[in-house]
Amino acid sequence: MHPRETVDRALRLSAQGLTDRQVAHACGVSIGAVQKWRTGARRACDDDPPTGHGCPRCHGRELDAVAYAHLLGLYLGDGHIVRVRAVHRLSIFCDDAWPGLIDEAARSMALTMPASTVSRRQRQGCTEVMSYSLHWPCLFPQHGPGRKHEREIKLASWQQEIVRAHPGRFVRGLIHSDGCRGLNRVRRELPSGVRWYSYPRYHFKNESPDILALCCQALDLLGVAWRFNNRNELSVARREAVELLDRHVGPKY
């Protein structure tokens, strides 16, 4: 049996275009083992223990619910899953202007699937945080063909329980992917002249009405007042609501 870390590394190198011989040499395994992992003839999870580093849905491993709630929000905002040969790759795209966000996304991904290595790939203006595993679709049943706003997005019952328990982490992931915290400037005509006032507010924008509804439900759980600016964007602008949301989300860093 080979350690799961070796299997993940081999699959990752294969996905990057290395030959089976090159992968085998780099990982210190036989070419035959690489071929079986790559083609799926030997499932990478066959060597997984029933607990510990296995899939929480398939093997009963305890899931880090706090990390998962955050990762779920990031996935619904700026993430996707693609099949790469015999495995799946979960990718979260983070703006390079927020290095702290990139680090936090990587931590949540690693805590959610400890057996799978998390890596980063530089893209134009952003960093792709990614991890390979057979089991990412098990943890994100919303995965499917086409764009998220073109299909129904509905949480499974076990996901709903996690969001109800950790709505702040879920909203943090949503807003840090498809939202922002900024300053709204207001012009007022006063007897003494024109005065400008500014106050912070949050925005969350998404083309999927289902994802917008999930954000609204989580904000309700937090007791945060919100309203729609238009069909695909909501805002949190009341001072007490912003202060409350700051405790859970805060600005990107």
Side-chain angles (χ1 to χ4, degrees), residues 90-94 101-103 105-106 109 118-121 127-131:
L90 169 65
S91 296
I92 306 293
F93 295 88
C94 304
L101 171 60
I102 298 171
D103 292 339
M109 196 177 290
V118 177
S119 57
R120 309 179 190 194
R121 176 162 50 188
T127 295
E128 179 185 4
V129 181
M130 56 187 178
S131 175

Side-chain angles (χ1 to χ4, degrees), residues 35-226:
Q35 291 174 336
K36 290 177 180 178
W37 294 333
R38 176 175 56 77
T39 61
R42 178 191 298 167
R43 288 171 55 93
C45 63
D46 286 346
D47 295 336
D48 281 344
T51 58
H53 290 307
C55 171
R57 303 300 300 164
C58 300
H59 304 135
R61 172 178 65 81
E62 183 177 356
L63 177 64
D64 188 322
V66 176
Y68 178 77
H70 178 244
L71 187 62
L72 177 60
L74 291 174
Y75 163 76
L76 292 177
D78 278 333
H80 71 227
I81 296 172
V82 296
R83 184 173 179 85
V84 182
R85 297 185 179 178
V87 294
H88 291 85
R89 182 181 70 230
L90 169 65
S91 296
I92 306 293
F93 295 88
C94 304
D95 193 319
D96 285 336
W98 312 108
L101 171 60
I102 298 171
D103 292 339
E104 188 177 19
R107 283 195 300 272
S108 293
M109 196 177 290
L111 289 170
T112 299
M113 194 73 79
S116 299
T117 302
V118 177
S119 57
R120 309 179 190 194
R121 176 162 50 188
Q122 187 62 49
R123 299 288 191 176
Q124 185 173 0
C126 69
T127 295
E128 179 185 4
V129 181
M130 56 187 178
S131 175
Y132 292 85
S133 174
L134 285 168
H135 295 282
W136 283 124
C138 306
L139 294 181
F140 296 97
Q142 292 72 35
H143 167 60
R147 299 175 180 178
K148 296 190 192 81
H149 69 272
E150 296 174 344
R151 62 179 189 270
E152 182 183 32
I153 299 295
K154 183 178 180 181
L155 298 186
S157 58
W158 61 270
Q159 292 177 302
Q160 293 173 14
E161 292 177 6
I162 290 176
V163 171
R164 282 195 294 268
H166 307 284
R169 296 299 297 173
F170 178 62
V171 171
R172 182 180 178 88
L174 286 175
I175 292 182
H176 279 183
S177 57
D178 264 354
C180 67
R181 181 187 189 276
L183 288 177
N184 187 46
R185 301 193 69 209
V186 179
R187 185 177 184 271
R188 290 285 186 267
E189 296 278 355
L190 301 176
S192 58
V194 175
R195 293 286 301 275
W196 285 91
Y197 299 89
S198 60
Y199 61 91
R201 68 176 177 178
Y202 284 91
H203 291 273
F204 178 69
K205 187 175 184 178
N206 197 286
E207 290 297 325
S208 168
D210 293 336
I211 295 176
L212 283 170
L214 291 173
C215 184
C216 295
Q217 293 165 14
L219 290 173
D220 288 341
L221 289 172
L222 293 171
V224 173
W226 55 270

